[in-house]
Amino acid sequence: MYVLTQGLAAPEATSLREACERTGLPLKEPAAHEWRDLSAHVADDLLVAFVAAGADGTAPPGLSEITRDGAYAVLVQPAPSAKGTLAAVRSGAGFVMAAPLGVERLVSFLTYLRDVAAPASAQILDLDEAGELTTPSASVRLSDAEATALRALADRRAVIVPRPDLLRLTGEDPRDVIESLRARFREVGSGAQILKVPHMGFRLVGEVRLKAGA
């Protein structure tokens, strides 16, 4: 997953850069001449875009391109404006923030979106027969145990996979394998999650598309 920004000036841009660095989220900052075609920078794993409001607090055109596939849009106003907020919501912004943007506030907000409310489009992963796990942002090679466990979770998507099943399939402690898979998800910037169901097993939240080898 990554964060996109359009039109933010200092100190808001500086605060957002620091917040992204602290949360481990890449930040894309298109140059001013690219703002008119912001959709070119919208990929499936976009988490949220911070877009500067106009002088009157209203949203620029094109927010629907950001939110079309489930990503979030935050309109950053120079000062609180009821008129601008109403217009922003009508144009597709899910959140409105007023300058100045505090780093701690941004860190909390980004952490929440990343860990709890990632868009469905950012929860999709590709896994090939060789164990290569891929998102639009990155890829990583899984161990045999990791790949086997992930295939088992993917085959029973949204269903609890018992710990004894994972132990039998992988030959390793399921807790260790699952924790390793979670780290792999973070490496490739995925919003997918593996939830622990106490005394029962684990459940995948997201989608793993199993790809045939080349």
Side-chain angles (χ1 to χ4, degrees):
M1 292 180 288
Y2 69 99
V3 177
L4 181 64
T5 181
Q6 173 185 312
L8 294 190
E12 279 61 58
T14 302
S15 296
L16 183 58
R17 290 187 197 109
E18 182 177 341
C20 286
E21 183 175 348
R22 286 175 54 179
T23 54
L25 290 166
L27 176 63
K28 289 188 178 181
E29 301 180 82
H33 68 274
E34 299 177 290
W35 292 350
R36 292 187 175 218
D37 190 22
L38 196 61
S39 61
H41 301 278
V42 176
D44 290 341
D45 59 342
L46 173 62
L47 176 63
V48 59
F50 288 79
V51 180
D56 60 352
T58 58
L63 285 186
S64 60
E65 293 294 326
I66 296 170
T67 59
R68 179 180 55 198
D69 295 322
Y72 300 100
V74 178
L75 184 70
V76 181
Q77 297 178 329
S81 164
K83 176 183 177 182
T85 298
L86 180 60
V89 172
R90 286 175 174 171
S91 64
F95 302 92
V96 178
M97 294 184 179
L101 299 180
V103 174
E104 296 302 328
R105 178 188 180 194
L106 288 171
V107 168
S108 297
F109 178 69
L110 291 173
T111 300
Y112 172 79
L113 294 185
R114 182 195 64 193
D115 296 345
V116 179
S121 59
Q123 296 179 350
I124 299 173
L125 302 123
D126 291 324
L127 178 65
D128 67 16
E129 292 178 347
E132 192 80 12
L133 185 68
T134 304
T135 68
S137 295
S139 62
V140 66
R141 179 65 61 89
L142 302 183
S143 70
D144 290 343
E146 291 168 346
T148 298
L150 186 54
R151 290 189 183 99
L153 291 164
D155 287 342
R156 296 186 238 179
R157 182 183 174 194
V159 175
I160 298 170
V161 179
R163 283 181 291 179
D165 286 11
L166 292 175
L167 176 61
R168 174 177 54 82
L169 289 167
T170 66
E172 298 185 13
D173 188 326
R175 293 169 297 183
D176 294 339
V177 176
I178 294 302
E179 191 57 38
S180 181
L181 272 176
R182 288 170 175 159
R184 299 298 194 185
F185 286 5
R186 291 191 292 269
E187 281 185 53
V188 297
S190 174
Q193 298 182 50
I194 301 175
L195 303 182
K196 178 182 178 181
V197 182
H199 310 297
M200 296 183 68
F202 300 92
R203 180 171 68 87
L204 175 68
V205 178
E207 179 183 356
V208 177
R209 301 183 297 201
L210 303 176
K211 302 293 185 178

